[in-house]
Amino acid sequence: MDSPHFSAGAPPTVGTHATVERAGDLQWQAVEDGDVVGRAEAFRRPDGRTFVSIDTWHGAVFDLLATAVPADLPGPLQTMVDEGDHDLTDRWRRAGFTLRRREREYVVATGRPVGSRTPADVTILGPGSADVSALRELYDAVRAEVDADAGWDTMPVEVPPGAPLDPARYAVAEAAGRYVGLIRVVSRRRHARIGLVAVRTAERRRGIAGALLTDALGTLHRNGIPTVTAEVDEHNTAAAALFECVGAQRVGGTVFLEREA
């Protein structure tokens, strides 16, 4: 979801007499003198969050749409902006959006990763191998632990509570007959994204997260996927260190803004 940059040479009068009309269930357009001069769209993600994007080159039209859309939708609403686009961030702020979180984006080469060895008492079960009920139990336990600490909304994942889990997207770490950690990987053709790496609180600092990540990178490499991306909350120093240990390179970042109502 990308919001546009604004051209310094765009005529400042465009949008002065524009009006906003609904173009669909979650779509809007700004019309001036019979021409569409801007569009906005909202997208409800599976995790329940609603994101908004605006497509226009004209500042006045952006401001008009950024005011009209929240008036039509219940909050909270979120949007995402490249961390380097300060002008666009300022426009969303003027529309009543405030900083929610920042994420760093990493790219990791899957070939010959330098990572952690699997602890002797831990077994990594690859994608599709996990028992569905045990995976659900682990996922719910991890979610509760994160929610009690940093808060689940700091996690860049899209799985709402109670939603079905696809074992094909998860590898798990098993110790003493129970699942203690997981990694979620989504692959499409030659691209993959790591959406979550998590270990039960009592099992942390044993190298399990590193073992899960190293195993996942090896699996992706064998499947012909050369690189994988991941997003990490800027305050999650442990996750950033984990990825940097396997040679991840930071390639950018995203600012998430939110408007409550």
Side-chain angles (χ1 to χ4, degrees):
M1 182 185 304
D2 297 316
S3 295
H5 298 274
F6 296 91
S7 171
T13 57
V14 174
T16 303
H17 304 292
T19 58
V20 176
E21 59 186 38
R22 295 294 286 263
D25 181 33
L26 294 174
Q27 297 176 325
W28 296 257
Q29 61 186 23
V31 179
E32 187 172 56
D33 296 329
D35 295 323
V36 176
V37 292
R39 292 182 172 86
E41 184 175 7
F43 173 71
R44 292 193 178 100
R45 293 197 334 188
D47 59 8
R49 303 171 190 173
T50 300
F51 278 76
V52 180
S53 66
I54 294 177
D55 181 12
T56 181
W57 286 102
H58 311 294
V61 177
F62 180 97
D63 295 340
L64 184 65
L65 288 165
T67 300
V69 173
D72 276 356
L73 292 178
L77 303 176
Q78 293 192 17
T79 192
M80 47 197 290
V81 181
D82 184 276
E83 65 178 0
D85 198 335
H86 304 296
D87 290 340
L88 185 54
T89 299
D90 288 343
R91 285 197 173 275
W92 283 111
R93 286 180 179 273
R94 287 196 291 272
F97 286 72
T98 58
L99 179 66
R100 180 60 179 171
R101 69 184 190 280
R102 296 178 186 269
E103 287 181 0
R104 302 174 181 177
E105 182 179 0
Y106 290 92
V107 171
V108 192
T110 62
R112 300 177 62 184
V114 180
S116 302
R117 294 183 177 180
T118 304
D121 63 332
V122 173
T123 300
I124 305 297
L125 304 180
S129 301
D131 175 79
V132 176
S133 60
L135 175 60
R136 166 56 65 185
E137 181 181 356
L138 171 63
Y139 186 90
D140 290 345
V142 165
R143 185 184 182 99
E145 290 175 349
V146 173
D147 221 10
D149 185 12
W152 188 256
D153 58 359
T154 66
M155 303 294 285
V157 296
E158 303 170 9
V159 181
L165 299 177
D166 181 359
R169 294 185 172 185
Y170 291 86
V172 299
E174 183 179 41
R178 71 187 189 109
Y179 294 170
V180 296
L182 59 83
I183 184 168
R184 179 175 184 257
V185 183
V186 178
S187 302
R188 292 186 178 89
R189 296 183 180 178
R190 291 178 58 81
H191 175 73
R193 173 178 175 267
I194 296 174
L196 176 65
V197 184
V199 176
R200 292 294 306 268
T201 302
E203 300 288 343
R204 293 176 185 171
R205 301 185 182 279
R206 298 183 55 212
I208 295 175
L212 282 164
L213 180 55
T214 301
D215 185 82
L217 293 174
T219 299
L220 290 169
H221 184 65
R222 289 190 294 273
N223 290 338
I225 298 177
T227 60
V228 60
T229 60
E231 295 81 36
V232 177
D233 184 274
E234 68 171 351
H235 298 298
N236 194 339
T237 55
L242 173 66
F243 280 96
E244 289 166 4
C245 281
V246 295
Q249 298 294 317
R250 185 178 178 186
V251 294
T254 304
V255 177
F256 288 79
L257 300 116
E258 182 176 78
R259 176 168 169 155
E260 289 292 341

